Amino acid sequence: MSMFCRQCEQAAKETGCEVMGVCGKNPEVAALLDLMLYGLKGLAIYADKAREFDTRYEVADKFLIEGLFTTVTNVDFDPVQLAGKLRKCFDLKEKVKALYETAYREKNGGHAPQISEGPAAWVIANDLETLVAQGREHGVKSQQADPDLLSAIEIIIYGLKGMAAYADHAMILGKTDEEVFAFFHHALAATCDPSKGLMDLVGIAMECGKLNIKVMAMLNEGHIERYGSPTPTKVQLGSRKNKGILVSGHDLRMLEELLKQTEGKGIDIYTHGEMLPAHGYPGLKKYGHLYANFGGAWQDQHKEFPNFPGAIIFNTNCIQRPAESYKDRLFTWGEVGWPGVKHLSGWNFGEVINKALECPDLPEAPGKEILVGFGHDAVLGVADKVIEAVKSGAIKHFFLIGGCDGAKPGRNYYTEFAEKVPKDAVILTLACGKYRFNKLDFGDIGGIPRLLDVGQCNDAYSAVRIALALAGAFNCGVNDLPLSFILSWYEQKAHVILLSLLHLGIKNIKLGPALPAYLSPNVLNFLVENFNIGRVGDVDADLKVALGAA
């Protein structure tokens, strides 16, 4: 078998994975994920056409978002689970097709024009082997030979995938939006439209960045309505003698339901990876058994999870191939899947609770504490102090250092950069990239911590709000602030956040460790010329440029 995938930062040789995904997906799974995207394009084409007649089907709208999330890096590696999703995708495509044809007939009379080729005409295969064969015909390079057009198409698709992850979390909290649904359909359908030129596609990519801000605002609203605004909170990094469940991923609603179901059962809940910011929400930290954070970023799970004796559950992307030492106490939920790992559907977590009760206690081993909970409300609540510190010269610069972490060499750059940031500068951080330096002691400036943990990658909206508020306070543009963006990326959620920053016109972003492999030379030149985006390089040199000393 062969494959080709270049949607994440760890693409082999910085060009693409062709034998086995660095993420762990094999060629069979890669083909099924390619077919999922192909099927979703067909669904989008008919949903977009149906909207022209004011016809929509919310079940299909939601599934398209869930399906795109499935194709994000490190989500679903289970061929059987993927085959079931593909069947649902095809059935919904046919349902929306019928709705469109009925609406067309009622308005225009006669039959709607038939689409006889491409993803709209896809007919699902009957068995797994043939599904894989279908998927191999529809990989990333199957649609477009022109490298610049293909690059622009991939930028849109990966932006939609990343936005789908945020939209899925928002949907779980009851937050949906018709404009967002419509854009998903229109943009994904546009990637199949041969009449679209390069600048048409660039425009859609920028629109994706714009809509993503709306989606992240919806998600932020859902979190705050349900759990309150994050507040600065110290989080324990050790353990105590009790049963334990480790929760990895991003979804706060799933964590809440687990906390409810484990109350009074002698089980402590530990967060892992991007779940760390959960400790800052009043509606979650009120549970006394939300005890601590265990381990670091996602890529170290294979080293850390064998040392966690309790049950473990993934609720979103970030799963790696599990070791046999903990596979029997590992669970997945939501869109996540791994062959041979028990998948939980719905909101009943009885099986993971029972497994935790069977497992040994964690040791009594108190650890150090770190500070989280600096969302935009917390930071803007002390904005007067921050502004005064800037005016007095106590704070001379702000650095946003964060993003997705990963295993590929070169990421120590972010640790070294944070360590070398001058003592009169404040570091904003978010997402799992912060694990490179969030246990270091940066001290404070007049009582303002020099390291402010804004939250998950989902909370990039808070970072945007903070930057815009500072610009407003100083009556200038964001690019005129003493603010530098030093970003690490790994997968498609980071990709769409970058599109959002570009939509806002933010320039001089440093990105790495490697630039996306799907950027053609001409598209990269466009980004450099219009936004001065660049790859991270030497720490000292990059720091001098950021501080205007170069």
Side-chain angles (χ1 to χ4, degrees):
M1 291 191 204
S2 62
M3 58 180 283
F4 184 77
C5 180
R6 57 183 180 185
Q7 68 178 4
C8 86
E9 191 271 338
Q10 294 190 173
K13 300 178 183 178
E14 297 188 10
T15 57
C17 296
E18 299 181 272
V19 178
M20 184 80 176
V22 174
C23 64
K25 68 182 176 185
N26 59 36
E28 177 186 44
V29 170
L32 293 172
L33 291 172
D34 285 340
L35 186 59
M36 173 63 75
L37 179 61
Y38 187 74
L40 293 171
K41 289 177 180 178
L43 174 57
I45 289 170
Y46 278 119
D48 191 44
K49 287 182 174 294
R51 270 184 163 72
E52 295 176 5
F53 297 92
D54 200 29
T55 298
R56 57 191 60 89
Y57 184 37
E58 190 174 23
V59 173
D61 294 344
K62 291 181 176 180
F63 177 80
L64 186 134
I65 287 172
E66 293 166 351
L68 283 170
F69 190 13
T70 289
T71 67
V72 168
T73 305
N74 290 89
V75 178
D76 197 342
F77 296 81
D78 188 342
V80 175
Q81 191 164 292
L82 287 171
K85 293 177 182 179
L86 283 165
R87 169 53 63 184
K88 186 174 182 179
C89 181
F90 175 74
D91 291 344
L92 287 173
K93 176 179 76 75
E94 294 299 295
K95 172 74 172 179
V96 175
K97 174 185 177 183
L99 291 174
Y100 156 66
E101 291 177 339
T102 298
Y104 183 97
R105 184 168 58 251
E106 290 176 350
K107 182 174 182 178
N108 298 324
H111 295 290
Q114 295 297 297
I115 303 175
S116 58
E117 58 183 21
W122 168 56
V123 177
I124 192 169
N126 293 322
D127 56 66
L128 184 60
E129 183 178 355
T130 315
L131 285 172
V132 171
Q134 281 188 332
R136 288 194 201 123
E137 297 174 1
H138 303 296
V140 66
K141 292 184 176 181
S142 64
Q143 180 178 335
Q144 180 59 250
D146 182 281
D148 296 331
L149 288 174
L150 177 59
S151 182
I153 286 170
E154 286 186 83
I155 288 171
I156 294 170
I157 288 173
Y158 304 148
L160 293 174
K161 288 185 178 191
M163 187 164 69
Y166 301 131
D168 182 68
H169 291 303
M171 287 195 307
I172 289 171
L173 294 169
K175 299 291 183 180
T176 60
D177 183 88
E178 173 56 27
E179 181 187 17
V180 171
F181 285 142
F183 178 76
F184 270 109
H185 298 147
H186 177 72
L188 191 56
T191 67
C192 307
D193 185 349
S195 71
K196 300 295 183 186
L198 182 59
M199 294 315 297
D200 296 320
L201 297 171
V202 169
I204 294 171
M206 291 298 101
E207 187 74 7
C208 185
K210 176 183 177 181
L211 263 292
N212 184 58
I213 294 174
K214 182 173 188 175
V215 170
M216 289 195 297
M218 289 163 49
L219 177 57
N220 177 263
E221 182 181 74
H223 282 158
I224 290 176
E225 286 179 358
R226 196 173 184 97
Y227 309 117
S229 294
T231 58
T233 303
K234 290 182 178 180
V235 181
Q236 169 67 228
L237 299 183
S239 62
R240 65 185 177 187
K241 189 172 176 57
N242 213 349
K243 304 296 183 183
I245 297 175
L246 182 62
V247 183
S248 188
H250 303 74
D251 199 88
L252 300 187
R253 171 76 190 282
M254 176 264 155
L255 175 65
E256 178 193 22
E257 295 300 323
L258 182 63
L259 286 166
K260 289 178 180 178
Q261 293 175 38
T262 49
E263 273 194 295
K265 295 185 181 293
I267 299 174
D268 286 329
I269 305 301
Y270 291 76
T271 55
H272 172 263
E274 288 271 54
M275 296 302 297
L276 169 62
H279 294 270
Y281 286 91
L284 296 174
K285 67 180 180 179
K286 69 180 182 181
Y287 294 94
H289 60 301
L290 178 60
Y291 179 64
N293 189 75
F294 178 90
W298 65 272
Q299 76 276 2
D300 291 329
Q301 63 192 257
H302 64 288
K303 295 186 292 186
E304 296 172 343
F305 284 9
N307 299 318
F308 186 87
I312 304 167
I313 183 167
F314 276 90
N315 62 37
T316 59
N317 63 307
C318 295
I319 193 170
Q320 285 185 307
R321 178 189 298 277
E324 293 301 322
S325 61
Y326 60 85
K327 189 175 182 181
D328 66 328
R329 46 193 173 87
L330 181 64
F331 298 83
T332 60
W333 179 87
E335 301 307 319
V336 189
W338 193 279
V341 171
K342 177 66 178 181
H343 184 79
L344 302 180
S345 300
W347 299 101
N348 185 339
F349 297 104
E351 288 188 69
V352 69
I353 291 170
N354 290 336
K355 176 58 70 172
L357 292 172
E358 296 171 3
C359 292
D361 287 357
L362 275 78
E364 187 71 30
K368 71 175 295 183
E369 293 179 324
I370 58 174
L371 200 57
V372 303
F374 290 96
H376 62 272
D377 285 338
V379 175
L380 298 183
V382 294
D384 55 338
K385 294 181 180 179
V386 175
I387 292 167
E388 181 55 37
V390 174
K391 289 181 176 179
S392 71
I395 296 177
K396 289 189 169 61
H397 207 89
F398 296 89
F399 290 89
L400 177 57
I401 309 174
C404 305
D405 204 5
K408 201 164 91 173
R411 291 180 179 268
N412 287 337
Y413 169 96
Y414 299 93
T415 310
E416 184 182 349
F417 197 103
E419 290 175 323
K420 289 185 174 181
V421 163
K423 302 299 183 185
D424 56 6
V426 170
I427 299 171
L428 301 169
T429 191
L430 75 165
C432 62
K434 62 175 166 270
Y435 280 106
R436 292 280 166 175
F437 49 81
N438 68 340
K439 297 178 180 67
L440 302 177
D441 184 5
F442 290 93
D444 65 88
I445 299 174
I448 301 168
R450 287 189 57 238
L451 180 66
L452 301 177
D453 187 343
V454 178
Q456 298 179 335
C457 60
N458 299 9
D459 298 312
Y461 175 73
S462 276
V464 169
R465 286 282 302 273
I466 293 168
L468 293 176
L470 287 172
F474 291 103
N475 195 29
C476 67
V478 173
N479 291 318
D480 300 315
L481 288 170
L483 169 63
S484 300
F485 291 81
I486 313 296
L487 305 181
S488 59
W489 79 284
Y490 173 66
E491 38 86 319
Q492 297 78 64
K493 289 184 292 180
H495 168 95
V496 77
I497 289 171
L498 178 63
L499 291 182
S500 294
L501 295 177
L502 298 181
H503 160 73
L504 293 170
I506 294 174
K507 298 182 178 181
N508 306 316
I509 295 170
K510 287 291 186 181
L511 183 66
L515 294 179
Y518 45 83
L519 294 181
S520 70
N522 287 333
V523 170
L524 178 57
N525 287 339
F526 173 87
L527 294 174
V528 172
E529 290 172 3
N530 288 274
F531 300 99
N532 197 33
I533 193 169
R535 181 173 180 169
V536 299
D538 175 76
V539 169
D540 292 325
D542 289 349
L543 191 56
K544 285 181 180 179
V545 170
L547 295 172

